[in-house]
Amino acid sequence: MRITSHGHSCITVTTVDGAILLDPGSFSQLTSDDPPGTVFDGVDAVLITHQHPDHVHGASVLEAVLANPTLEVFAPQVVSLSLREQLPPASRSQVRAVAAGADFTAGGIQVRALGGTHATIHHSIELVANLGYALGQGEVFHPGDSYQVPVGLNPQVLLLPVMAPWAKMAEAVDFAVATGAKTWVPIHDGLLNERGLELFDRQIGAVATAHERTYRRLTPGVSYTIEDLR
């Protein structure tokens, strides 16, 4: 299993059986000039955690579905309905609604959907559906926008949201420790400048070391095996 970051919460996970793209959103690097292409190239399935635009850039997902009749998209019901309504009838079956507790195969990879609700931003802001996705035999866990600890899951690699309007560093660290993951990979950091990235990496990294965990930032566009991250 190999992991590639495309910025913010957008990650590609690849195995010998296929490739999954998670959360291709508006804060991520969705296209590349060298070599030219998009993050959807070579991908068999797209997993979307929730409806916020930094996690799903609808126009790009729709374009990818129309360009590839075998591409599958899995998302919470509200997202899947929105995408399907914008597709011609022949392409709508490529987009599937999933809910917490669902087990399915995407891109040749076993997936379990977990969670259910986005973290609270403010009591005046409506909560939306959010799914976390455990990939393979639980090797990698992407929680979307939530610090809900998955029951019965002990991931090797936790994709850890580190900065958000709904989060604070103490909560991020407590969540990471509670999951039992040996490796913490920071995501959801598209609003941080260089000073912010250095601060979060230094402080969360120090806590990870104190708990005998590995904290590892991925260079966007570079592919890592799980063994690389230990």
Side-chain angles (χ1 to χ4, degrees):
M1 184 174 283
R2 305 189 70 90
I3 304 172
T4 307
S5 170
H6 307 289
H8 198 54
S9 287
C10 186
I11 300 286
T12 299
V13 175
T14 306
T15 70
V16 294
D17 296 311
I20 292 177
L21 178 68
L22 295 104
D23 277 5
S26 57
F27 291 177
S28 306
Q29 184 62 50
L30 302 183
T31 62
S32 174
D33 295 327
D34 184 25
T38 77
V39 294
F40 299 92
D41 294 344
V43 168
D44 302 292
V46 176
L47 305 184
I48 297 168
T49 62
H50 64 284
Q51 67 196 60
H52 291 159
D54 58 318
H55 293 261
V56 53
H57 187 258
S60 295
V61 175
L62 292 169
E63 182 179 351
V65 169
L66 292 173
N68 181 358
T70 66
L71 180 68
E72 295 181 298
V73 179
F74 299 86
Q77 185 175 35
V78 65
V79 180
S80 66
L81 287 174
S82 176
L83 293 172
R84 286 167 63 91
E85 287 173 353
Q86 300 175 72
L87 287 167
S91 300
R92 291 173 185 168
S93 63
Q94 293 175 242
V95 181
R96 304 182 185 182
V98 291
D103 291 295
F104 56 96
T105 300
I109 301 172
Q110 186 63 33
V111 181
R112 169 164 288 188
L114 300 162
T117 307
H118 191 287
T120 300
I121 300 172
H122 187 262
H123 63 80
S124 65
I125 299 175
E126 182 181 3
L127 292 176
V128 301
N130 176 87
L131 295 175
Y133 294 108
L135 308 184
Q137 300 301 312
E139 288 96 334
V140 176
F141 180 52
H142 190 311
D145 279 9
S146 173
Y147 288 150
Q148 181 177 341
V149 178
V151 177
L153 182 69
N154 186 26
Q156 296 182 46
V157 176
L158 170 65
L159 303 173
L160 174 62
V162 295
M163 188 272 178
W166 48 269
K168 63 182 181 181
M169 189 182 294
E171 294 172 340
V173 169
D174 287 346
F175 168 70
V177 172
T179 66
K182 295 297 185 182
T183 301
W184 307 349
V185 171
I187 61 170
H188 211 283
D189 50 15
L191 292 175
L192 291 173
N193 59 21
E194 291 183 3
R195 291 188 294 275
L197 290 170
E198 189 280 329
L199 173 65
F200 275 73
D201 286 353
R202 174 166 47 83
Q203 294 194 341
I204 299 179
V207 177
T209 299
H211 284 82
E212 299 183 337
R213 304 291 194 266
T214 299
Y215 179 88
R216 180 69 179 274
R217 176 168 296 281
L218 306 187
T219 301
V222 176
S223 177
Y224 300 81
T225 67
I226 289 180
E227 288 72 23
D228 293 334
L229 301 176
R230 290 175 176 167

